[in-house]
């Protein structure tokens, strides 16, 4: 592929990096990423991937923009309260980078559609805010052989991990979803909005690294951010041979055991 004059200017700061270069930029333009949730984490992920020239960005979300979203969901705007989040995301992406095709998927991910939706993309970035969705995305990605970069935020804390075929999965850390109502959510416990930016930007970085095949993958590790004490900890996460999904004797071969998923807000 030959870059246009405009693309050479647009991506100059990437192209000058030896680890990216023209070849890496071409790779990004030919890449596809599925972002689960156009919320707090999805906002910076979608923006940075679009700015980076990731050619196809799928966005799954069935919510409308609400006023209470705007404290952290920076892809949306006061003037778009009431419109579909995927449309709001598409508008800003079209403005940021005409090289990018945003595929709006206005749906709630569930056991019946998850694998078919994920199948069309190279890498998945999960920015959902609830355990049923995270388990569903983890299982669907593993069954489809996709790399998953997953982030989560709550109050003043954030987590980030990459789950790749061959490495540990989300179930190696958290075997089963916790009972409903036992886990605080952003809406019940709150979140400092800027934490979504910190974790979302790191999530976008890991997605770009996976697409480019550069640096050290976060697979097998978990990053834990504590904003109040300004500390990042990286802990190793081994694959669990007893994991029901990726262990030596897996018992999960499809998504049939998943129930309904809660709203994706992030
Ligand atoms: Zn596992």
């Amino acid at each position: 592929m030959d870059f246009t004059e405009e693309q050479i200017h647009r991506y100059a700061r990437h192209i000058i990096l030896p680890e990216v270069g023209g070849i890496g930029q071409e790779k990004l333009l030919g890449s596809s990423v599925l972002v689960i949730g156009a919320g707090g984490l999805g906002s910076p992920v979608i923006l940075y991937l679009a700015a980076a020239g990731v050619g196809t960005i799928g966005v799954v979300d069935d919510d409308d923009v609400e006023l209470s979203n705007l404290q952290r969901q920076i892809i949306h705007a006061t003037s778009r309260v009431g419109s579909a989040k995927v449309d709001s995301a598409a508008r800003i992406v079209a403005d940021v980078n005409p090289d990018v095709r945003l595929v709006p998927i206005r749906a709630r991910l569930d056991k019946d559609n998850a694998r078919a939706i994920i199948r069309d993309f190279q890498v998945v970035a999960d920015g959902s805010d609830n355990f049923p969705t995270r388990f569903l995305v983890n299982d669907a990605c593993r069954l489809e052989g996709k790399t998953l970069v997953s982030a989560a935020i709550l109050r003043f804390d954030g987590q980030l991990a990459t789950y790749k075929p061959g490495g540990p999965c989300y179930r190696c850390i958290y075997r089963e979803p916790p009972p409903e109502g036992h886990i605080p959510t952003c809406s019940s416990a709150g979140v400092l909005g800027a934490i979504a930016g910190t974790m979302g930007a790191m999530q976008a970085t890991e997605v770009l690294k996976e697409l480019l095949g550069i640096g050290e993958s976060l697979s097998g590790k978990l990053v834990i951010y504590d904003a109040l004490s300004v500390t990042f900890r990286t802990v190793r996460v081994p694959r669990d041979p007893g994991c029901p999904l990726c262990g030596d004797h897996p018992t999960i071969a499809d998504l049939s055991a998943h129930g309904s998923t809660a709203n994706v807000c992030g």
Side-chain angles (χ1 to χ4, degrees):
M1 186 188 116
D2 288 326
F3 292 117
T4 63
E5 198 69 23
E6 191 184 318
Q7 286 175 322
I8 290 168
H9 282 297
R10 179 182 289 276
Y11 305 116
R13 305 299 186 277
H14 272 170
I15 292 168
I16 204 166
L17 290 169
E19 293 82 355
V20 182
I23 290 169
Q25 189 59 53
E26 210 178 304
K27 218 186 250 181
L28 293 181
L29 286 163
S31 297
S32 62
V33 175
L34 180 69
V35 182
I36 317 279
L41 290 160
S43 289
V45 171
I46 292 164
L47 271 181
Y48 274 118
L49 296 184
V54 170
T56 305
I57 302 174
V59 179
V60 193
D61 202 307
D62 73 335
D63 275 344
D64 292 337
V65 179
E66 291 178 31
L67 197 56
S68 65
N69 299 153
L70 302 181
Q71 164 259 17
R72 66 201 175 284
Q73 302 184 15
I74 56 168
I75 205 167
H76 306 304
T78 308
S79 62
R80 296 199 289 279
V81 167
S83 50
K85 282 189 178 177
V86 288
D87 295 340
S88 174
R91 236 173 92 173
I92 198 162
V93 164
D95 227 11
V96 168
N97 192 346
D99 290 344
V100 176
R101 188 171 68 98
L102 187 137
V103 182
I105 305 163
R106 197 173 182 191
R108 187 170 297 197
L109 216 59
D110 62 29
K111 64 177 192 278
D112 298 317
N113 65 17
R115 288 185 69 170
I117 290 173
I118 283 169
R119 196 170 296 151
D120 289 340
F121 297 87
Q122 275 175 270
V123 171
V124 176
D126 186 7
S128 67
D129 72 332
N130 64 83
F131 284 96
T133 304
R134 273 184 228 146
F135 277 87
L136 176 70
V137 171
N138 175 68
D139 295 359
C141 284
R142 194 54 64 116
L143 293 170
E144 291 296 328
K146 303 291 181 183
T147 295
L148 166 63
V149 182
S150 184
I153 51 168
L154 190 68
R155 298 196 182 104
F156 300 96
D157 301 319
Q159 288 195 0
L160 178 69
T162 296
Y163 305 110
K164 265 177 119 152
C169 79
Y170 189 68
R171 282 187 189 269
C172 292
I173 311 175
Y174 310 99
R175 186 60 62 88
E176 295 286 340
E180 234 174 280
H182 279 236
I183 297 294
T185 62
C186 289
S187 52
S188 69
V191 63
L192 189 74
I195 309 258
T198 307
M199 300 313 296
M202 288 179 67
Q203 191 177 11
T205 301
E206 293 308 314
V207 168
L208 292 170
K209 281 169 58 189
E210 293 293 341
L211 294 174
L212 291 164
I214 59 170
E216 206 178 299
S217 172
L218 190 58
S219 173
K221 281 174 269 181
L222 177 69
V223 176
I224 300 165
Y225 173 50
D226 177 341
L228 291 181
S229 62
V230 207
T231 51
F232 283 96
R233 277 195 306 139
T234 304
V235 296
R236 292 205 164 271
V237 179
R239 192 179 70 91
D240 176 2
C243 174
L245 182 67
C246 76
D248 296 339
H249 305 285
T251 54
I252 299 171
D254 56 44
L255 301 178
S256 58
H258 284 271
S260 61
T261 51
N263 251 345
V264 174
C265 99

